Amino acid sequence: MIKTPPNHARPPATRRPANRPRPRPIPSAASSAALDSAHVGDIQGAFGTIRLEETPTPKSWKARLKTLLAIVGPGLIVMAGDNDAGAFGTYSQAGQNYGTSLLWTLLLLVPVLFVNQEMVIRLGAVTGVGHARLILERFGKFWGAFSVIDLFILNALTIITEFIGISLGLGYLGVPKVPGVILAALTVIAATSTGSFQRFERVCMALVFGSFLLVPIFFMSGPDYGQIGHDFVVPGIPAGSSVADVTLLIIAIVGTTIAPWQLFFQQSYVIDKRITPRYLKYEKADLWIGIAIVVIGAAAIIAFTAFTFAGKPEFGQATDAAGVAQGLEKYVSHLAGILFALALIDASIIGAAAVGLSTSYALGDVLGLRHSLHRKVSEAKGFYAAFAGIILLSAVIVIIPGSPLGLLTVGVQVLAGVLLPSATLFLLLLCNDNAVMGPWINGKAMNAFTSAVISVLVILSIVLTSAVLFPGIDGTTILAILGGGALLAIAGALAVAVVRIRARVQGKAVAPTAVDRSQQLTWRMPPLALLERPQLSLARRAGLSVLWIYLIVAIILVVVRVVQLALGAP
């Protein structure tokens, strides 16, 4: 029998120094919940690589900066994609019609953006499973199928608006519409289908830097910095404006800044980049940088359209992106118009890529297909085929003569508003699922804030849907809906509080289980097959039933209204 020598008898070459950390066990796809083995491995970012066996706690600031550079990407891409063609149109309308008076709305959206995307980042890093698959596994086939189908429809419509933006930008630059749009579609597909995650992210980072083309336009427009600073921090409604029009525009700003596709894309992209809980603090920093880019870009568009058109005949007469470019050329310089057109094309391309990927990631999740940018086309045919299909379909619709592009744009705005509350609700429920999140479960403050956000989104969704169904809706009615919704939300919160207090007094309340967060850095969700299906409480079942009825009714009414508009009804 051969005995293992004690530690002191080992040769010096094999002895581990006392100050060196023990090597971490390398996880495998088989031992984690990852649905694709390509989701486990080295983190290969645009600006660096982190080996799986490397220590995750760098000490020096240089090492931490190197780690951050390797991690950045998901937050930057999803936020840059957020300032897409639809956002350009909405922000331009705000500046051209109302000056800088609505800049304050951007700051209000910052905490909402962060809370939503932080929960998604946490879900992705902890579970290793995409958003659509988690909904399917934890809430059943109906909600899983519904989430994918409505995401596919909404994303297809959104990508159409991206190619509308590309066609407008190309048109200003004198590039023919048909070959320009087709070339843009093929470029998006080619950049995504290289079989290298790192190459794709480097292309996206180049597009992210392209979004800064908006900054020189801002300085060229002769901005009033004092007015901008005031309107950023002091909420107000433009004097003499229609309450209904301003309220609907604010809702449009919310809708274009927070969209359902972001949740699905961000979670899947974090997984595909192989980010684990050990690197969450770096990913949160990445998200904050992305949010800063969103606010800077949006504020720049609102400001330079405001100062460009102030005192001009075009002020208060909102036009499309091509009209904004022409106005910049007319009142600022030809260079300003060119920069705006290039920024629009850049934003639309990154938006199309991100939205398209959110679709193919979700389909791969639900259908069990290989779905990773680390894989070559031959290794993940369904994943890349779904991406190419939705991109080409959207591009073709844009170049077909007589396509109802205006109706499609309306459909995007309304469907996004209708579906966003449900997407955020499922996000909240998943982040409170002990089996899924373990020590990463939401805290009380996060739940309270997110519940308030969902209530606001539902109210805004009702207002937006009502405005589409009844175009003549006035400011008084809108304010009544907002006030009534707020009172119902407050009443609901008070009712829940009363029930909990009464149960506590009667001794029927279940003591909350203490959450041990000491194992956060190493805890990952077990494989889905090992999880028991959650037992939904009566309150949650009732809530999901109400949500189902609301979604069905709202979608039917929206479809009816779109058909009426298509037939020429007022």
Side-chain angles (χ1 to χ4, degrees):
M1 177 176 171
I2 301 175
K3 295 183 179 181
T4 303
N7 287 341
H8 61 79
R10 290 179 182 170
T14 62
R15 189 177 298 168
R16 180 176 60 85
N19 61 348
R20 181 181 299 173
R22 294 182 180 276
R24 292 185 294 135
I26 299 176
S28 65
S31 62
S32 71
L35 300 178
D36 189 325
S37 59
H39 293 160
V40 178
D42 298 338
I43 297 174
Q44 299 173 342
F47 305 119
T49 297
I50 301 175
R51 302 297 176 190
L52 192 60
E53 66 274 8
E54 288 183 21
T55 173
T57 55
K59 300 298 183 182
S60 68
W61 69 267
K62 289 184 178 180
R64 293 184 180 185
L65 178 60
K66 182 180 177 180
T67 301
L68 176 61
L69 289 175
I71 294 295
V72 294
L76 291 179
I77 294 170
V78 75
M79 291 293 102
D82 184 46
N83 272 356
D84 58 358
F88 268 60
T90 302
Y91 299 143
S92 296
Q93 181 182 354
Q96 189 172 350
N97 280 5
Y98 304 111
T100 58
S101 59
L102 296 180
L103 278 174
W104 56 273
T105 59
L106 300 178
L107 286 186
L108 291 182
L109 290 175
V110 168
V112 179
L113 273 174
F114 179 78
V115 167
N116 271 355
Q117 296 304 128
E118 187 276 336
M119 286 194 290
V120 168
I121 289 170
R122 195 157 23 102
L123 267 177
V126 172
T127 67
V129 176
H131 204 63
R133 184 59 179 269
L134 284 177
I135 293 175
L136 173 67
E137 294 287 341
R138 308 306 286 171
F139 300 101
K141 294 181 180 179
F142 170 80
W143 287 113
F146 182 87
S147 67
V148 173
I149 293 172
D150 69 51
L151 181 73
F152 183 87
I153 295 172
L154 179 58
N155 283 1
L157 294 174
T158 303
I159 297 173
I160 288 173
T161 66
E162 309 295 4
F163 282 107
I164 293 174
I166 291 172
S167 67
L168 292 174
L170 292 174
Y172 176 81
L173 298 175
V175 179
K177 177 180 179 178
V178 174
V181 170
I182 294 299
L183 178 61
L186 295 177
T187 300
V188 172
I189 294 172
T192 309
S193 308
T194 63
S196 169
F197 184 97
Q198 195 168 50
R199 279 196 292 268
F200 170 78
E201 188 162 275
R202 284 173 177 167
V203 172
C204 287
M205 288 300 102
L207 294 171
V208 169
F209 289 127
S211 65
F212 287 103
L213 291 172
L214 296 169
V215 175
I217 306 175
F218 168 78
F219 290 110
M220 295 165 66
S221 66
D224 182 336
Y225 300 105
Q227 181 179 338
I228 291 173
H230 174 272
D231 292 342
F232 241 126
V233 297
V234 180
I237 299 296
S241 59
S242 166
V243 174
D245 292 342
V246 174
T247 304
L248 292 176
L249 183 56
I250 291 174
I251 295 174
I253 291 175
V254 174
T256 196
T257 308
I258 307 170
W261 70 263
Q262 297 171 355
L263 309 181
F264 289 83
F265 171 81
Q266 178 88 323
Q267 184 167 333
S268 292
Y269 195 80
V270 164
I271 294 167
D272 205 5
K273 191 163 182 176
R274 303 163 174 170
I275 293 175
T276 64
R278 292 181 178 272
Y279 298 100
L280 270 176
K281 63 180 180 180
Y282 294 98
E283 184 48 44
K284 290 179 183 179
D286 171 43
L287 176 60
W288 275 118
I289 297 171
I291 291 174
I293 290 177
V294 165
V295 174
I296 291 172
I301 295 174
I302 292 175
F304 68 62
T305 50
F307 294 112
T308 296
F309 294 104
K312 308 296 191 301
E314 294 88 348
F315 187 81
Q317 307 294 323
T319 183
D320 58 21
V324 172
Q326 292 164 2
L328 288 169
E329 177 182 355
K330 181 178 179 182
Y331 297 117
V332 180
S333 69
H334 183 52
L335 175 60
I338 292 175
L339 291 176
F340 182 80
L342 291 175
L344 173 62
I345 295 170
D346 176 273
S348 300
I349 288 176
I350 192 172
V355 177
L357 274 175
S358 74
T359 306
S360 51
Y361 275 135
L363 290 175
D365 268 334
V366 173
L367 300 179
L369 305 174
R370 292 177 174 179
H371 51 295
S372 172
L373 292 171
H374 291 282
R375 294 190 179 278
K376 298 178 181 178
V377 174
S378 59
E379 298 173 332
K381 296 177 182 177
F383 172 70
Y384 288 108
F387 179 82
I390 196 170
I391 293 294
L392 289 175
L393 175 64
S394 303
V396 168
I397 289 176
V398 170
I399 62 177
I400 293 177
S403 294
L405 301 181
L407 287 179
L408 295 176
T409 302
V410 171
V412 169
Q413 294 175 339
V414 179
L415 279 179
V418 168
L419 298 176
L420 182 58
S422 64
T424 307
L425 175 60
F426 281 117
L427 176 60
L428 179 62
L429 293 176
L430 288 171
C431 284
N432 281 280
D433 191 329
N434 281 293
V436 170
M437 296 300 288
W440 289 99
I441 197 169
N442 273 4
K444 292 182 179 180
M446 178 72 79
N447 284 333
F449 182 80
T450 309
S451 298
V453 168
I454 292 173
S455 300
V456 172
L457 291 177
V458 169
I459 297 170
L460 296 183
S461 172
I462 293 173
V463 172
L464 183 59
T465 306
S466 302
V468 173
L469 298 175
F470 310 102
I473 191 170
D474 57 17
T476 302
T477 305
I478 290 178
L479 292 177
I481 295 175
L482 292 174
L487 290 176
L488 286 176
I490 294 172
L494 290 175
V496 171
V498 169
V499 170
R500 289 181 176 177
I501 292 173
R502 181 176 297 177
R504 192 176 304 161
V505 171
Q506 296 176 352
K508 298 179 181 179
V510 179
T513 304
V515 179
D516 180 10
R517 301 188 185 272
S518 62
Q519 303 298 317
Q520 281 187 330
L521 295 184
T522 56
W523 197 91
R524 301 290 301 276
M525 185 186 78
L528 290 171
L530 301 181
L531 300 183
E532 293 184 3
R533 288 289 296 274
Q535 298 297 320
L536 297 179
S537 64
L538 180 61
R540 289 191 176 185
R541 289 182 181 277
L544 289 176
S545 299
V546 172
L547 174 63
W548 181 81
I549 295 172
Y550 162 72
L551 290 173
I552 295 300
V553 172
I555 290 174
I556 290 175
L557 292 176
V558 169
V559 171
V560 170
R561 181 56 184 166
V562 169
V563 171
Q564 290 176 341
L565 292 174
L567 296 176

